[in-house]
Amino acid sequence: MKISDILGMSLTNLWRRKMRTILTILGVIIGTASIVVMLSLGLGLKQAMMDQVSTAGGLTEILVYSDSDMGMDERLLSDKTIESFMEIEHVDKVEPQIDYNMPIQAGKYEGNITIVGVTQERLAEMELEEGSLPDANSETLELIFGNQVLGEFFDITTGVYPYWENDEFPNVNLMTVPLIGGIEKEESYEDSESDMGDSSIDSKDSSFSESNDEFSDDTDEFTDENDDFGDESDDESSESTEDDLPLDEFEDDFENDVADMSSFTSSTKRVQLKAAGITAGAQEDYSEYSYNCYADLDSLKSFLKKNYSANDIIPGQPTDRKGKPYRDLKYTQLIVNVDESSYVEDVLQTIQDMGYRGEANKEWLEEIEKEFMIIEAVLGGIGAISLLVAAIGIANTMTMSTYERTKEIGIMKVLGCSLGNIRSMFLSEAAFIGLLGGITGIMLSYILSVAVNKLVAPMVMSDYGSGTKISVIPLWLVLAAIVFSTFIGMVAGFFPAQRATRLSPLAAIRNE
């Protein structure tokens, strides 16, 4: 018999017993849909976690932090540190970062915001909802606001946070409202020494000379520009209040409206800021850049040098054990980019051997993948139980078919049909049941997946941002499900097909 004849007879036999065939296929549909949906949930959760990792930095990045105590550690992050990291094999580039906290007022709202100074290359990677990149040559510090920053602002007249009280951002447009930053200087090193009294002044000079010898290793890295740090800031800071800050029109309103809960006091130095842009995303969307403000690194350095003298303690900057600030700015963290992800562990180990504290997303990602492999296996096993039940149904249907078609089998043997042709016919019927059930099960799986993503995902995946899917069905899973269901059908029909080949032709013909 030709293959076409075998397939035609198989379809005809299935069609003659439509109801039983449909019920058997229904079992395969449910089994296939169960295993596909279960696996899609594991894949969806894994993909959501992967997306979170990618937004928090790539797989080739290593974050390096200074692990110092009051600055008395040679492991402070500076330009020399960048040079030493660049000498490590497979390091492509090193991006410095400086964090600086300050209160910012936008109209009647105020928030204590972290300003992160990054390179222009890092700024260019940010997707903006509106605005443009900060102008590095602007006299006013320009900021890119994260789309979630407004959630940290409160009403200075009432102390109420609109986002936490009403789940709504303050009604203020950061791109148009005047922005005022507050610089509150801590007690400087010079002031703390003078508080010791006149009797300690003479000893101060000698202690400074000793401490200069003690910190000679640290001061070796100071540049001429850093040595002029204090001279520039002393001259410019005295003029900046009046010349650089056209804030007179806001001061009267500020004094009338500000409440005790505001961080701005009479000693607070007010500086004008500008919003250059806002990162993309709705109120519920989260990304790496959602909760901070970002500025050009060189612009932030100039801003700090302009508003702090050499003896001022800058928030976030390290000091030595005597509380003396370093003359040059230290970096909060360094982002080390490795040329290939396979070398991340080696580079990270080298950095840690140098005495620095480093973290890599790749290490965390590998642990996540192991955990999700277990989750996917469990979910797949639960779904496979339904397909096992469907396989039993296929075996039952094909066994009943061999009993009902005993005379037909006997006639086929008498007419010269080989045992292989008879076996192939029954296996084809079982395969068709598995194939049709698998295809229809995939269609049902897509419907269920869409429903889960529309109804369930917004509730359980709200922290991952809008549009996050909890169920993902890739193409390979579709193909694997169809092939697997067809294979299960053939396996379930194998023993009934074998029974058909073992029937005696004469006994089959005499069978009523």
Side-chain angles (χ1 to χ4, degrees), residues 137-149:
N137 299 319
S138 175
E139 295 183 0
T140 303
L141 183 63
E142 297 189 0
L143 305 174
I144 291 180
F145 281 79
N147 60 294
Q148 296 278 357
V149 168

Side-chain angles (χ1 to χ4, degrees), residues 46 50 59 362 364-376:
K46 181 179 179 180
M50 294 291 187
L59 300 180
K362 189 174 185 294
W364 184 47
L365 187 60
E366 290 176 351
E367 294 298 323
I368 292 176
E369 288 180 339
K370 293 178 182 178
E371 293 177 2
F372 272 101
M373 286 179 62
I374 298 175
I375 294 174
E376 290 170 12

Side-chain angles (χ1 to χ4, degrees), residues 31-44 376 379-380 438-439 441-443 445-446 449 471-485:
T32 302
S34 297
I35 193 171
V36 170
V37 170
M38 287 294 183
L39 288 176
S40 72
L41 292 176
L43 294 172
E376 290 170 12
L379 293 175
I439 294 174
I442 290 295
M443 296 171 62
S445 299
Y446 272 110
S449 179
S471 175
V472 176
I473 304 178
L475 180 60
W476 68 263
L477 181 57
V478 172
L479 298 177
I482 293 175
V483 172
F484 188 61
S485 62

Side-chain angles (χ1 to χ4, degrees), residues 224-242:
D224 294 339
E225 179 183 357
N226 292 328
D227 290 337
D228 296 336
F229 182 93
D231 297 336
E232 292 179 3
S233 60
D234 290 341
D235 295 337
E236 294 179 2
S237 61
S238 61
E239 302 174 358
S240 61
T241 304
E242 297 180 1

Side-chain angles (χ1 to χ4, degrees), residues 265-483:
T265 64
S266 58
S267 62
T268 301
K269 178 181 178 182
R270 300 175 182 85
V271 294
Q272 187 175 14
L273 305 174
K274 179 181 178 181
I278 300 176
T279 61
Q283 176 175 325
E284 65 276 6
D285 292 334
Y286 166 79
S287 70
E288 178 186 2
Y289 309 109
S290 291
Y291 293 105
N292 297 319
C293 290
Y294 294 86
D296 174 72
L297 180 62
D298 293 332
S299 298
L300 181 58
K301 283 183 176 180
S302 299
F303 175 83
L304 295 177
K305 291 180 180 180
K306 184 177 182 179
N307 291 282
Y308 291 91
S309 69
N311 292 321
D312 288 330
I313 300 175
I314 303 176
Q317 286 291 306
T319 59
D320 60 32
R321 289 181 179 175
K322 293 183 179 294
K324 180 180 179 180
Y326 290 93
R327 299 175 71 95
D328 62 335
L329 294 172
K330 303 299 182 182
Y331 299 119
T332 306
Q333 73 173 27
L334 300 177
I335 303 176
V336 180
N337 291 269
V338 184
D339 52 13
E340 293 184 20
S341 60
S342 57
Y343 297 117
V344 169
E345 293 183 4
D346 294 337
V347 174
L348 177 59
Q349 186 61 51
T350 301
I351 292 174
Q352 291 174 342
D353 292 342
M354 294 170 66
Y356 295 95
R357 179 164 55 92
E359 298 176 357
N361 287 328
K362 189 174 185 294
E363 292 182 321
W364 184 47
L365 187 60
E366 290 176 351
E367 294 298 323
I368 292 176
E369 288 180 339
K370 293 178 182 178
E371 293 177 2
F372 272 101
M373 286 179 62
I374 298 175
I375 294 174
E376 290 170 12
V378 172
L379 293 175
I382 295 173
I385 295 175
S386 300
L387 198 57
L388 176 62
V389 175
I392 296 174
I394 295 174
N396 178 67
T397 297
M398 299 309 301
T399 301
M400 293 297 297
S401 180
T402 58
Y403 281 109
E404 294 172 354
R405 294 157 58 188
T406 301
K407 183 176 290 187
E408 176 185 342
I409 295 170
I411 293 174
M412 291 175 65
K413 287 186 175 182
V414 170
L415 293 177
C417 287
S418 66
L419 298 180
N421 289 334
I422 296 174
R423 184 186 299 109
S424 298
M425 183 179 65
F426 280 90
L427 288 176
S428 297
E429 292 179 22
F432 273 125
I433 292 175
L435 177 63
L436 293 174
I439 294 174
T440 311
I442 290 295
M443 296 171 62
L444 178 60
S445 299
Y446 272 110
I447 295 174
L448 294 174
S449 179
V450 172
V452 168
N453 289 330
K454 292 291 184 182
L455 302 177
V456 181
M459 294 184 293
V460 301
M461 305 292 286
S462 58
D463 293 339
Y464 291 81
S466 61
T468 302
K469 296 180 179 179
I470 195 175
S471 175
V472 176
I473 304 178
L475 180 60
W476 68 263
L477 181 57
V478 172
L479 298 177
I482 293 175
V483 172

